[in-house]
Each structure stands twice: as C-alpha cells, then as structure tokens.
Amino acid sequence: MAKPKTKYVCQACGSVANRWQGQCADCAEWNTLVQEAAEVSSIFAAKHNLQGGGRSIALVGLDTPTALPERLPSGLAEFDRAVGGGIVPGSAMLVGGDPGIGKSTLLLQVAARLANSGRPVIYVSGEESAEQVRLRAVRLGLGGAPVRLAAATSVRDILTTVGDHAPALLIIDSIQTMHSDLIEGAPGTVSQVRASAQELVRFAKERGTAVVLVGHVTKDGSIAGPRVLEHMVDTVLSFEGERSHQYRILRAIKNRFGGTDEIGVFAMEGAGLTEVPNPSALFLTHRGEPVSGTSVFPAMEGSRPVLVEIQALTVRLASGATPRRAAVGWDSGRLAMILAVLEARCGISFATAEVYLNVAGGYRLQDPAADLAVAAALVSAMSERPVPSECVVLGEIALSGEIRPVAHAALRLKEAAKLGFETAWVPKGVKGEGLRLAEFANLRGLVDQLLAR
Ligand code: TYD
Ligand code: MG
C-alpha cells in the first residue's frame, strides 16, 4: 500500500497544497500552511461541505405574493413617473448627470416635497456647506420644508448620525465626495466610490431608508466611471439636457421596481425645476415653424429612445460640374443608396443638385431605421414642402423601395408622444399609442404624401 501523501492546509483560507510553501498559493497569506492534522481536516471539511451548520431559510412559492413596502410619492409627478410611481422604501437609487445640469436642485425639491408630506428626510451634501444648501432652498421657496441638512463626507459619520433618525429618505450629494474608512484611497477613486456606495446601499436594505446617491457623469457618459455603481443600486436615473436649453429629461436606465420606458420632463427656470406634464409646448416652440428639409427621427441609444433632427439641403447646379454629396452624422454610402432608390423607384432625381445631410446636435446615426426620415428630409428639401413639425418618421428602406419594419417601434413612438409629437410616418403594420399613424408600404407612398402637401 502506498504511503498516504502528507498534505498541508492553509489556516487562513482552508485550501490544500501538496508541499509546504511559505505563502499560500490561493489567498497569498504568509506562513499559514500547516501539516494536515485530523483536527484541521475536519475544520476543512466543515468549511467545504456546506450542508449543515447554517440557518434554514424559509422558501416561498411563486403563488405567495410577498407584500412590497408601499411606495412614497414625492409629489413631484414627473419624478414619480420616472421612478415608476414613487420611491420604494429601502431601495437604493443613483441619479447621474453632467455637472450643473440640476441634480442638486431636483433632489432638494424632491426632499422638500417628501418632507412637507410628513416624512423625515435627510440631505447630506459633500460638495456644498449646509448654509449654501439652505440658501438655495430659500431661493427655491422651500425654506419652510422640514428637511434636515448636513455637510459631511465620512460615510461612517453619516450612517452613525442618520441611524439615530431613521429617515424615510437619505440623499447623498454626491457619491464621488464620500469616503469610507474601511479602505484606503482618496474620495472619488473607483475603490472609494464603490466601498462608500456599498455601505450606503447596505444601510438602505437594513433600515428600510430609501437612499439616493447623486453621481457625476464622466466624459464617456458612464456614471462615476466604473459601471459597478449601476450594478449595486436598484434604480439608475439619468438627468439629461443641454445646459443652454431649458428642458431637462429624467430617465430611468435601470429599475428593479418598475419599467425603464417612462421619462420625466422638467424645465429649469428662475425658481428651480418646474414640471412639464405636456412637453410639446416646450419642445415644439423650440422647433418653431415647420421648415422644409428637416425631419425628426426617434433614435435608440442603447435601450433608450432619443429624438434627433435630420437636416437636408439641396442646391441646384447650373450644369456640368459633379454635384457634391456631404453627410455629417450619417454614412455617405447609405446616403447614396437612398438617393439612388429615390431616383429609381420614385422618379426624383438629385443628379443636378448638391446634397448636404446633417444630423443636428453632433449626433451620429447608424441605425437603418432612420432611412425613411433621411428620405423625407431629402424630398422635403428638394420640393420645398416641409414635413409637419409635429411628425416623426421611421422605417428602413429596401433597394426595392419597400419600407421595412424597425426594432423597438413602440418604444420610439411612446417617447415621441411623450415629447409632444402627434403623428408618425411608419412602416406598414407598426403599432403605437398616442400618435396618429400614417403607414407606408413603400417609399413612393411617402413621397406622394409629402408632395401632396
Ligand atoms: P445644480 O442643481 O447645482 O446642478 P448639479 O447638482 O447637477 O451640478 O444646478 C446648477 C444650475 O442650475 C446652475 O447653473 C443654475 C441653474 N439653476 C437655475 O437656473 N434656477 C434655479 O432655481 C437653480 C437653483 C439653479
Ligand atoms: Mg450639485
């Protein structure tokens, strides 16, 4: 019989080695390997055979509903809509957005509304002094709201303090300024942001306090750089808009307690953010009178719809010279294809015209679903007949001139309706609520419709 081989067990992690080493290969601890003894191996067995020794967990059937705690409506209807009908107690939320877009203003308003309805709310700022936050609240006409303020950056201090008050809502503005003493590193580093968020999320779950983390968006658009934060929280909201424009959109990117296809629309005004229940006024005054050569396309950015304007300009050439074709934000090969289909299938020739195509706002479109909107802008520019300004256009064009259906049509149309659009020119068979749909089986039909205007 072969002599049983001596084994060495790490007392730190329980892993087994065949020979003695100064450092454990698994957990990298030093001087923890000891020759296997009966006792050690039973500890090892207990560690690695997980049956027995634990608590028994209650199992629930799919047919037994567990009551979700009731949502807390903040009273700011557009905010409540975006989060799926109110704040869920004990949930963790991340609100991201560019610096200066209005995150602090939004959350101060949410805090004040909720506090006014009798719920305890604590607002912790790591960026401004409590006095600065208070002055802003007074400017917003919220000076009387019973929100408790603090300026702090130590997660330990914050949780110790907040633990005594058991608030319904805790706002942390911003997570990048927080630091946890459980790990080393300066505030704002990936590991600090992660550790701080972990502590705060755990607090939310344990105490039933809803925690909102404000996060700045980095240049590449992700919140706080690492995506880890997005995995740790229940809901991720993004607050978007152009700083030079008034309107702001609050959009759920992720929501464990609701859908992600609702948005909240606000306008930034002198007295803070006002709700815009009917965004058409805001959006369409901004667009103004219908102009020939433009169309609006509901694009998708990941899983999110974004409305973009497509602009076309055609300039007649005297003769002879080769006409220029230039496209910004759109593939020039695809532009040539659409021009060819318009000529071959609809008899509209661009042969003697220069064609310029631009996607407004520096947006890059790569989605063939925009074909029909591009064609509409081109025909509109050529014929000087505007596409109605409250109309969105979507559909992919085949070489035969047929219009093909596109992905996420319902979601795109929902966003358009929310933003105040009234009609949509779409491929045959597309369904959408809240808009009058004109369905087209082929490009010819759309051209006829446009030229008849
Ligand atoms: P803020 O909420 O501080 O943005 P964030 O927290 O996202 O960095 O908002 C900053 C901008 O909002 C600031 O440039 C001024 C503008 N603003 C208004 O136009 N009206 C207001 O009532 C307030 C409070 C801010
Ligand atoms: Mg701020």
Side-chain angles (χ1 to χ4, degrees):
M1 205 174 83
K3 198 174 147 216
K5 250 187 119 157
T6 319
K7 292 211 159 98
Y8 298 86
V9 178
C10 170
Q11 291 186 307
C13 71
S15 76
V16 185
N18 284 328
R19 57 190 176 81
W20 190 86
Q21 292 156 204
Q23 186 184 23
C24 170
D26 273 356
C27 68
E29 285 294 324
W30 288 92
N31 299 323
T32 52
L33 291 190
V34 294
Q35 193 170 343
E36 186 179 47
E39 267 171 20
V40 176
S41 72
S42 73
I43 293 170
F44 175 78
K47 261 195 180 148
H48 289 259
N49 176 7
L50 290 178
Q51 285 180 40
R55 270 185 309 126
S56 203
I57 309 163
L59 300 174
V60 196
L62 283 176
D63 54 352
T64 0
T66 29
L68 259 187
E70 214 172 301
R71 287 173 185 266
L72 308 173
S74 68
L76 205 59
E78 291 293 307
F79 177 85
D80 291 339
R81 183 204 304 274
V83 301
I87 301 165
V88 175
S91 69
M93 239 186 256
L94 176 67
V95 177
D98 288 330
I101 205 69
K103 300 179 296 296
S104 302
T105 309
L106 175 71
L107 290 166
L108 192 56
Q109 289 182 243
V110 168
R113 293 278 185 122
L114 200 64
N116 277 334
S117 74
R119 313 271 182 181
V121 178
I122 295 181
Y123 184 110
V124 179
S125 179
E127 303 193 332
E128 294 162 296
S129 69
E131 182 60 11
Q132 278 173 305
V133 180
R134 195 188 68 79
L135 285 175
R136 171 182 297 169
V138 170
R139 261 205 316 280
L140 295 173
L142 304 170
V147 177
R148 311 289 291 159
L149 300 177
T153 55
S154 155
V155 175
R156 187 184 291 278
D157 293 351
I158 292 169
L159 292 185
T160 305
T161 312
V162 170
D164 301 337
H165 288 81
L169 178 66
L170 168 65
I171 293 169
I172 302 289
D173 186 4
S174 64
I175 188 64
Q176 276 99 348
T177 57
M178 295 297 137
H179 71 89
S180 158
D181 54 17
L182 294 182
I183 61 155
E184 310 224 323
T189 55
V190 175
S191 49
Q192 272 294 349
V193 165
R194 180 170 38 200
S196 304
Q198 229 153 23
E199 291 303 305
L200 290 159
V201 171
R202 183 183 321 161
F203 176 84
K205 305 285 156 199
E206 282 175 6
R207 302 298 187 87
T209 291
V211 172
V212 175
L213 309 176
V214 174
H216 294 296
V217 169
T218 54
K219 276 192 224 79
D220 63 353
S222 64
I223 295 167
R227 299 208 78 106
V228 284
L229 269 191
E230 305 193 9
H231 296 300
M232 284 159 53
V233 297
D234 301 306
T235 305
V236 180
L237 299 168
S238 154
F239 202 42
E240 302 166 3
E242 291 291 322
R243 281 187 69 168
S244 49
H245 291 118
Q246 243 194 344
Y247 69 89
R248 302 280 183 273
I249 294 179
L250 183 68
R251 199 187 292 277
I253 301 173
K254 159 181 171 178
N255 195 349
R256 287 189 186 140
F257 301 115
T260 50
D261 51 359
E262 286 290 3
I263 58 174
V265 184
F266 299 87
M268 181 59 97
E269 289 173 353
L273 292 157
T274 50
E275 299 183 61
V276 184
N278 173 18
S280 62
L282 197 68
F283 200 70
L284 294 180
T285 30
H286 174 57
R287 273 174 53 72
E289 286 294 298
V291 192
S292 61
T294 67
S295 64
V296 176
F297 168 65
M300 295 297 290
E301 197 186 304
S303 61
R304 301 181 281 159
V306 184
L307 280 103
V308 294
E309 184 178 278
I310 296 173
Q311 306 165 341
L313 178 69
T314 57
V315 183
R316 289 242 164 261
L317 279 186
S319 66
T322 314
R324 246 185 93 106
R325 271 100 180 78
V328 178
W330 179 251
D331 181 49
S332 52
R334 199 128 191 124
L335 172 63
M337 186 206 93
I338 293 170
L339 290 173
V341 177
L342 279 170
E343 171 142 13
R345 307 291 175 189
C346 311
I348 299 183
S349 172
F350 290 81
T352 58
E354 294 196 329
V355 175
Y356 299 92
L357 192 87
N358 178 41
V359 181
Y363 198 88
R364 279 202 65 79
L365 267 180
Q366 285 172 326
D367 185 358
D371 287 353
L372 200 59
V374 169
L378 289 169
V379 175
S380 164
M382 193 69 163
S383 63
E384 295 187 0
R385 309 209 181 195
V387 177
S389 60
E390 39 39 277
C391 177
V392 292
V393 186
L394 73 158
E396 180 178 342
I397 299 174
L399 288 179
S400 62
E402 271 176 308
I403 297 173
R404 301 160 139 278
V406 303
H408 307 298
L411 202 59
R412 297 175 198 251
L413 295 176
K414 190 168 176 183
E415 175 95 346
K418 181 80 212 296
L419 286 174
F421 286 83
E422 292 166 12
T423 55
W425 293 354
V426 297
K428 227 178 175 51
V430 163
K431 302 265 182 296
E433 281 169 31
L435 292 166
R436 282 193 309 280
L437 302 183
E439 298 176 35
F440 298 101
N442 56 53
L443 192 51
R444 179 111 219 183
L446 180 121
V447 169
D448 290 346
Q449 163 110 7
L450 201 48
L451 296 187
R453 280 174 56 81

